[in-house]
Amino acid sequence: MYLRGLAQSFPQSRRMFCSSRNNNDLTGAIAELNKEMESIFGEPPSSGLAGSVSNDCVAQESHFDSQGLAKSLSDESVSRDSECMSHKTNQNGTGLSHIGHSGEAQMVDVSPKESSKRTAIASCRVILGKKVFEMVAANQMGKGDVLTVAKIAGISGAKHTSSLIPLCHNITLSHVRVDLRLNPKNLSVDIEGEAVSTGKTGVEMEAMTAVTVAGLTVYDMCKAASKHIQITDVQLESKTGGKSGEWSRHK
């Protein structure tokens, strides 16, 4: 009966010992088991049992530890390689400057850059249709002078670019120009905007915001007469200054 009880409890004891992570606790438990078996059988058990249990557990712990260590080293290596690749990409100028090492959005630090005069010209077109075009040309819109209001709105929009575009820098503009011209060929209002600043970052977004806000204002002033008005072709035409120098769409 004692042998049957011991045989039934022994596998559980073995699992209990192997689940322990403290070698001192394991040694103490084995010693207690040896004393119990000695009191039952009249002699101490052979060292093979204790050695087998201890060796199995050490082997399992070594296996688990080596796996955990390998995984940790692998994860750390991948992290370092990813960061290194991201750093090299940004150095080579082929990465996105608004994206951090782990993919999060970030505002670019322009403090190392040299100040220079920056200019940018952008354009867009608002297609009115025959009826609305004639009303705008005759200054017959109920809200007032469409082109004058849109011009002021475009200038104001350029000055508020950093409030509208989250990662744009808050820069000081030295000049903003917004011109609106009626185009009878396309029955449209053609808009051109220019932004100028002396600083460490470009003004392309300011110029594009100026023409976009001016175009939206034209739509707002005329929407009561037609819902078919379209704002199209918002684009950068040219820029100067900065590390990249001059650029023009027409060159």
Side-chain angles (χ1 to χ4, degrees):
M1 179 174 68
Y2 288 105
L3 291 177
R4 185 181 300 110
L6 178 63
Q8 291 175 349
S9 62
F10 179 73
Q12 296 177 356
S13 300
R14 181 183 175 92
R15 288 194 298 270
M16 177 188 69
F17 298 149
C18 289
S19 65
S20 173
R21 303 291 295 176
N22 190 312
N23 289 334
N24 293 330
D25 293 344
L26 179 61
T27 302
I30 292 175
E32 292 180 3
L33 177 63
N34 287 340
K35 290 181 180 181
E36 182 177 350
M37 294 180 66
E38 182 177 359
S39 65
I40 296 174
F41 295 104
E43 60 181 11
S46 64
S47 59
L49 173 63
S52 174
V53 173
S54 178
N55 291 338
D56 286 350
C57 293
V58 170
Q60 290 180 13
E61 289 184 3
S62 175
H63 175 68
F64 294 145
D65 290 345
S66 63
Q67 281 188 334
L69 178 60
K71 185 178 186 302
S72 176
L73 292 175
S74 176
D75 292 344
E76 183 178 356
S77 176
V78 169
S79 177
R80 286 199 305 268
D81 290 346
S82 176
E83 181 176 352
C84 182
M85 289 178 64
S86 176
H87 179 66
K88 289 181 178 179
T89 299
N90 287 335
Q91 282 185 331
N92 294 334
T94 56
L96 298 175
S97 59
H98 286 75
I99 304 299
H101 294 315
S102 59
E104 79 284 2
Q106 65 178 5
M107 192 173 190
V108 177
D109 183 4
V110 297
S111 56
K113 294 185 178 181
E114 295 183 1
S115 293
S116 63
K117 183 178 180 180
R118 317 275 186 142
T119 67
I121 297 176
S123 65
C124 81
R125 173 172 292 167
V126 184
I127 302 174
L128 302 175
K130 188 175 186 303
K131 174 187 174 182
V132 178
F133 182 86
E134 291 176 350
M135 293 177 69
V136 172
N139 196 14
Q140 295 178 347
M141 298 303 301
K143 285 190 173 183
D145 187 344
V146 174
L147 302 185
T148 299
V149 175
K151 178 183 182 75
I152 296 172
I155 294 172
S156 179
K159 295 189 293 183
H160 288 84
T161 299
S162 62
S163 299
L164 300 171
I165 313 299
L167 301 181
C168 279
H169 293 81
N170 186 6
I171 63 177
T172 301
L173 294 171
S174 57
H175 176 62
V176 178
R177 172 181 61 85
V178 178
D179 293 331
L180 296 92
R181 181 176 61 88
L182 289 170
N183 185 342
K185 180 180 179 180
N186 297 318
L187 299 174
S188 66
V189 177
D190 294 344
I191 306 174
E192 182 177 270
E194 179 182 18
V196 181
S197 177
T198 299
K200 297 184 176 184
T201 188
V203 288
E204 294 94 324
M205 292 307 301
E206 283 71 17
M208 295 181 71
T209 300
V211 299
T212 302
V213 172
L216 288 169
T217 302
V218 171
Y219 184 95
D220 178 64
M221 298 284 288
C222 303
K223 67 179 185 293
S226 174
K227 299 297 188 293
H228 294 285
I229 300 170
Q230 301 178 52
I231 302 173
T232 66
D233 302 325
V234 178
Q235 59 189 21
L236 181 68
E237 297 292 343
S238 63
K239 57 86 61 181
T240 65
K243 185 177 180 179
S244 61
E246 297 186 3
W247 177 88
S248 175
R249 181 174 298 277
H250 306 291
K251 286 185 179 179

